[in-house]
Amino acid sequence: QTASKVRRIRRIAVYAASVAAALILGVFLNWFFIGESSRTGASQMLTLCTDPGQRANITLPDGTVVKLNSGSVLEYPAVFSRKERRVKVNGEVMLNVAEDAKKPFVVETFAYDVRVLGTKFNIIADEQTGEFSTALLEGKVSVMDKAGIDRAILLPSQMVSLEEGALKLSTIRNIEEEYLWTEGILSVAGVPFDKLVQRMERCYGVNIVVEKDKMPSVRYRRMKVRISDGIEFALNAIQRESDFEWHYDDLTHTYYIY
């Protein structure tokens, strides 16, 4: 009888051990496949492009809202990694980053990277022309070089731009007015003509050549133009309070200002 009890106890112990081993294996496999799925998703990059003259909005997996201006490119992972949220940008985008203190959000560009936790900012990164700038509307951002070293810390209404190979920090008086392209509006008043030309080229996806020796001046104190009305409507409206003429060349697909 004693021997029978011992055998039963042994059988129970063996059965319990096998059940425990199966549970441990199941937990391990579940963790492995979840981790592998996460790693696979994080390595799968998706791309969103906007055609010239078009804009687009997208909400990323973490809740971050990205608005793309004309002719811009956004690359982002299907699943963010466990350590950070990293995207790549070429062109002009506005980002409203979802807060996540454990996962910094990094925007990678050809020139510098921008690191944030939760904030709203505009970034221009045109590798073809070499133009780079970051303007902060809300929160705080760090502009880093490719070695990960902070080169500028921005507070709201501050902007940093790449000029002659160096970053230049400046303050924007009416920053919301500067970036109304996200609402489909081109802000004209108080904008230098050369900068206005850059905005129109980006918003409408066109080429504009200024042939005047001196940049025209714009005398509007207040002026906004709906981008949907088209480039020619904008030029005619601006022309009323400025000193230039313009024409369009079908052969070169270029607007000439003279």
Side-chain angles (χ1 to χ4, degrees):
Q1 187 175 4
T2 302
S4 177
K5 288 182 179 180
V6 170
R7 285 194 295 273
R8 278 201 303 274
I9 291 171
R10 285 178 177 174
R11 283 198 298 272
I12 292 171
V14 171
Y15 176 76
S18 63
V19 170
L23 288 173
I24 292 172
L25 179 62
V27 170
F28 170 77
L29 290 175
N30 186 55
W31 172 85
F32 174 80
F33 284 117
I34 290 176
E36 187 64 24
S37 175
S38 176
R39 287 188 291 273
T40 302
S43 63
Q44 181 185 0
M45 296 298 291
L46 305 176
T47 303
L48 175 63
C49 305
T50 51
D51 293 329
Q54 301 296 316
R55 298 182 305 280
N57 300 345
I58 186 173
T59 300
L60 300 182
D62 67 329
T64 292
V65 177
V66 184
K67 297 183 178 183
L68 286 76
N69 206 348
S70 169
S72 299
V73 180
L74 171 70
E75 294 182 50
Y76 62 98
V79 179
F80 285 116
S81 72
R82 296 178 179 179
K83 294 183 179 180
E84 66 177 9
R85 299 167 289 168
R86 179 176 288 267
V87 302
K88 295 181 180 180
V89 163
N90 189 47
E92 180 174 20
V93 301
M94 174 78 75
L95 298 100
N96 197 340
V97 178
E99 292 189 16
D100 188 343
K102 296 180 180 179
K103 280 188 181 181
F105 195 100
V106 179
V107 180
E108 185 178 332
T109 78
F110 77 97
Y112 292 87
D113 296 344
V114 180
R115 182 178 183 272
V116 304
L117 293 177
T119 191
K120 182 179 180 182
F121 64 103
N122 193 87
I123 185 167
I124 298 175
D126 192 328
E127 187 171 6
Q128 185 174 1
T129 62
E131 182 182 6
F132 172 85
S133 67
T134 299
L136 183 63
L137 285 79
E138 300 172 7
K140 186 177 180 180
V141 301
S142 168
V143 180
M144 310 179 300
D145 62 20
K146 293 303 180 179
I149 300 173
D150 290 341
R151 294 301 180 186
I153 305 294
L154 298 188
L155 299 176
S157 296
Q158 288 186 330
M159 169 180 162
V160 67
S161 55
L162 182 61
E163 298 183 14
E164 298 180 352
L167 289 176
K168 180 182 178 181
L169 183 66
S170 58
T171 300
I172 303 175
R173 291 180 58 187
N174 298 315
I175 193 163
E176 294 287 350
E177 293 280 324
E178 288 283 320
Y179 300 102
L180 286 174
W181 68 263
T182 59
E183 308 299 328
I185 296 173
L186 176 68
S187 182
V188 175
V191 181
F193 198 83
D194 56 345
K195 187 174 182 180
L196 187 57
V197 166
Q198 292 177 350
R199 287 188 184 180
M200 288 191 290
E201 286 184 319
R202 185 169 290 113
C203 288
Y204 296 107
V206 299
N207 295 320
I208 301 175
V209 174
V210 179
E211 295 184 321
K212 293 175 70 72
D213 295 333
K214 183 180 179 181
M215 282 289 173
S217 60
V218 180
R219 293 180 288 273
Y220 281 108
R221 293 185 178 180
R222 290 185 179 182
M223 183 182 182
K224 297 183 179 74
V225 177
R226 287 193 301 269
I227 296 173
S228 60
D229 287 336
I231 176 66
E232 295 187 3
F233 177 88
L235 287 171
N236 286 332
I238 297 168
Q239 186 183 32
R240 295 191 192 105
E241 288 294 328
S242 189
D243 52 343
F244 70 89
E245 301 290 334
W246 67 271
H247 74 273
Y248 178 69
D249 190 324
D250 292 319
L251 296 177
T252 61
H253 302 291
T254 300
Y255 288 88
Y256 290 91
I257 291 176
Y258 59 94

